[in-house]
């Protein structure tokens, strides 16, 4: 939810929002973290909380208890590499592309790991067929793989241990915020 809400707030708070693709699986592995939904009581709470937050922020998330299995079973690596390829070549599409991947995965329950679905997401986000195909071909290149590893390592360097992780550069130093429920604290730190 943080992605959708930050996109909405960027103009209200007058912030320079920069998307930095990072691979959640890599962050979890490097930091020794485990998905909170693996704990039954935590998963039960998270499901209720996500529904409450979706209603509050008016973001279309449709989840049931079975969705955690779908989430764990779906690899986002191809999608993150695709976003990374776009980050390297056509940054102007990052916001629309990131939001569309989010919608497809969280709201429409689509498998974002499949090439045909990645291309459909790209088309919906406004990318041309030619640009989309080029980016899809780039996802297996060492350059894209290395860049995603670099941005993932950068997130860990700032203290990320999961997602969403937001780093606000304010008053000459970075401030890490984890979780969708930290928007008020983020706003407070940046004077909004």
């Amino acid at each position: 939810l943080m992605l959708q809400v930050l996109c909405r707030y960027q103009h209200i708070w007058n912030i320079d929002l920069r998307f930095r693709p990072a691979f959640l699986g890599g962050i979890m592995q490097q930091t020794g973290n485990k998905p909170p939904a693996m704990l039954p009581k935590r998963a039960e709470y998270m499901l209720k909380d996500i529904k409450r937050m979706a209603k509050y922020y008016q973001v279309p998330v449709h989840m049931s208890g079975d969705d955690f299995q779908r989430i764990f079973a779906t690899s986002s690596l191809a999608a993150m590499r695709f976003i990374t390829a776009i980050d390297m070549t056509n940054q102007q599409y990052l916001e629309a592309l990131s939001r569309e991947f989010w919608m497809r995965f969280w709201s429409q329950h689509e498998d974002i790991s499949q090439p045909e679905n990645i291309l459909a997401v790209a088309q919906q986000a406004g990318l041309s067929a030619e640009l989309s195909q080029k980016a899809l071909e780039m996802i297996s290149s060492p350059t894209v793989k290395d860049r995603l590893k670099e941005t993932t390592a950068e997130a860990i360097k700032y203290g990320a241990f999961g997602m969403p992780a937001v780093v606000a550069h304010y008053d000459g130093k970075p401030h890490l915020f984890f979780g969708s429920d930290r928007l008020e604290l983020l706003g407070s730190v940046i004077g909004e």
Side-chain angles (χ1 to χ4, degrees):
L1 292 168
M2 178 72 91
L3 169 73
Q4 298 293 347
V5 177
L6 269 180
C7 288
R8 191 182 302 163
Y9 276 51
Q10 70 182 318
H11 304 293
I12 297 168
W13 285 354
N14 193 29
I15 55 176
D16 181 13
L17 184 60
R18 295 184 186 167
F19 294 85
R20 301 290 294 158
F23 181 52
L24 177 59
I27 290 173
M28 299 293 273
Q29 183 181 31
Q30 292 279 329
T31 62
N33 198 0
K34 301 266 186 262
M38 292 181 80
L39 301 168
K41 281 305 210 183
R42 184 96 188 255
E44 185 180 315
Y45 175 81
M46 281 182 66
L47 184 62
K48 291 177 187 174
D49 202 41
I50 288 169
K51 288 179 179 181
R52 281 191 293 245
M53 289 177 61
K55 183 177 179 182
Y56 177 79
Y57 287 116
Q58 300 177 4
V59 177
V61 177
H62 308 290
M63 287 192 67
S64 68
D66 299 337
D67 282 327
F68 289 122
Q69 292 304 324
R70 176 185 65 83
I71 292 164
F72 294 142
T74 303
S75 173
S76 64
L77 185 56
M80 292 312 301
R81 285 181 179 164
F82 187 86
I83 292 171
T84 300
I86 295 301
D87 182 35
M88 295 170 70
T89 60
N90 293 275
Q91 289 183 344
Q92 71 270 26
Y93 292 108
L94 278 179
E95 180 177 338
L97 186 62
S98 298
R99 294 181 85 174
E100 189 61 29
F101 269 119
W102 189 96
M103 284 299 247
R104 298 286 179 117
F105 187 75
W106 291 102
S107 188
Q108 299 166 3
H109 298 187
E110 290 184 18
D111 183 352
I112 59 171
S113 67
Q114 300 304 310
E116 61 274 10
N117 292 344
I118 290 172
L119 291 173
V121 167
Q123 179 184 14
Q124 187 66 33
L127 282 76
S128 70
E130 181 183 342
L131 177 58
S132 301
Q133 190 60 47
K134 180 183 174 199
L136 188 62
E137 290 167 5
M138 289 175 65
I139 68 172
S140 59
S141 74
T143 306
V144 168
K145 290 178 182 181
D146 289 346
R147 175 71 173 268
L148 183 57
K149 287 176 188 173
E150 289 168 13
T151 56
T152 300
E154 184 181 9
I156 294 168
K157 179 189 88 174
Y158 282 120
F161 53 88
M163 288 292 178
V166 173
V167 179
H169 297 272
Y170 189 77
D171 253 358
K173 56 187 173 181
H175 303 268
L176 174 74
F177 296 91
F178 171 77
S180 296
D181 55 348
R182 297 294 184 251
L183 282 166
E184 290 82 4
L185 293 175
L186 169 62
S188 176
V189 164
I190 65 172
E192 294 288 349

